[in-house]
């Protein structure tokens, strides 16, 4: 283990971009398929992993939504969440703000409450058994209509106190932020924070829309902002937190090689970058693997790694006092 690898392993960090359905490891997928009598189109764990060879976002999403079919009961969602938190705790993640896609489940007949109660049970266990705190972000599927997003927000109302925010994910190209202006405004009225995937595959114009029309508090990915000088300056001036996901970008061919990853340039231009795992069961690594593989590929310094860990707490939706406490822990570790 290099010095920097060991340093990253012990660094306190938050994870701000994690789809809980994307943490479903093939082993758990098989276990849940058997437990629930659901058939999956694979003979073995190895065959599942071999199928994870994607050439773009849609390739991945097709397999990711199929994988989620094994999730049916409250216990399934609790097991899924707790398995993620065990991995996260092993990576010294102290706080995680996790996305879930309610429509992926309600459209299969799984009740909204089953999903939320299961995830919350897993999150409660993470706090008491692992000391990892967390928040839940309800993400709308952008390939569906705004009307369907509104129906989902309506289902969420009895559970509102469980959510810290809303997000926007799934197939980006062809589904710009402008499609969801009204439902994002309604979510804001309910006191929720706003995130959106923007500039992962979509053009810089979509990033402008996420800022100008959705008024997001945090941007997921944001890679293609680097094609637009005015965006770079704006994101820097506004100190917008970007939840960047290097191994996801590699697996989904957003970058050809990790050596070409924009993080060093983002940092150089003063962007508020954080590193995250996105869908770790599908992309080959949890948060520490994202730090380590990127650091190896582009030659990150200890200072840059520390800056991103601090950004992860600063860019979280925690109360200010808690942010400061965690950021001081990062400083103490770095010293
Ligand atoms: N859903 C899960 N992971 C995603 C990603 N990287 N982009 C868009 N939607 C997603
Ligand atoms: Zn994502």
């Amino acid at each position: 283990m290099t010095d920097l690898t060991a340093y990253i392993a012990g660094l306190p960090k938050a994870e701000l971009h994690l789809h809980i359905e994307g943490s479903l490891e093939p082993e758990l997928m098989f276990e849940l398929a058997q437990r629930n009598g659901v058939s999956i189109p694979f003979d073995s764990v190895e065959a599942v992993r071999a199928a994870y060879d994607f050439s773009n976002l849609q390739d991945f999403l097709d397999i990711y939504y199929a994988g989620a079919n094994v999730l049916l009961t409250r216990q399934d969602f609790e097991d899924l969440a707790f398995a993620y938190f065990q991995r996260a705790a092993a990576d010294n993640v102290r706080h995680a703000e996790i996305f879930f896609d309610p429509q992926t489940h309600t459209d299969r007949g799984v009740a909204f409450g089953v999903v939320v109660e299961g995830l919350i049970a897993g999150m409660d266990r993470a706090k008491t058994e692992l000391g990892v705190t967390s928040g839940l972000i309800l993400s709308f599927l952008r390939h569906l209509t705004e009307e369907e997003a509104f129906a989902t927000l309506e289902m969420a109302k009895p559970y509102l106190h469980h959510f810290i925010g809303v997000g926007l994910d799934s197939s980006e190209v062809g589904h710009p932020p402008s499609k969801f202006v009204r439902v994002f405004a309604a979510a804001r009225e309910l006191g929720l924070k706003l995130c959106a995937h923007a500039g992962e595959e979509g053009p810089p114009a979509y990033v402008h829309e996420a800022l100008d029309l959705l008024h997001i508090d945090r941007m997921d990915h944001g890679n293609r902002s680097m094609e637009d000088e005015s965006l770079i300056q704006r994101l820097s001036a506004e100190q917008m937190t970007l939840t960047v996901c290097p191994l996801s970008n590699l697996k989904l061919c957003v970058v050809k090689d990790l050596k070409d990853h924009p993080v060093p340039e983002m940092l150089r231009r003063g962007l508020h970058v954080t590193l995250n795992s996105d869908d770790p069961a599908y992309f080959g690594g949890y948060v520490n693997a994202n730090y380590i593989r990127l650091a190896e590929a582009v030659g990150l310094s200890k200072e840059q790694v520390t800056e991103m860990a601090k950004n992860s707490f600063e860019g979280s939706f925690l109360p200010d006092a808690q942010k400061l406490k965690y950021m001081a822990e990062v400083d103490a570790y770095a010293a």
Side-chain angles (χ1 to χ4, degrees), residues 17-19 60 99 168-170 197 200 220-221 243 245 248 278-279 283:
H17 186 158
L18 177 283
H19 301 266
F60 154 70
F99 295 116
L168 186 64
D169 65 5
S170 192
H197 285 52
E200 181 185 19
D220 299 307
H221 296 292
T243 64
C245 307
S248 164
D278 205 1
D279 301 284
F283 301 150

Side-chain angles (χ1 to χ4, degrees), residues 253-274:
C253 305
V254 167
V255 294
K256 275 209 191 69
D257 193 296
L258 273 186
K259 284 190 181 67
D260 307 326
H261 202 279
V263 156
E265 181 65 5
M266 288 171 161
L267 290 171
R268 205 179 64 74
R269 297 300 309 272
L271 303 194
H272 208 264
V273 177
T274 66

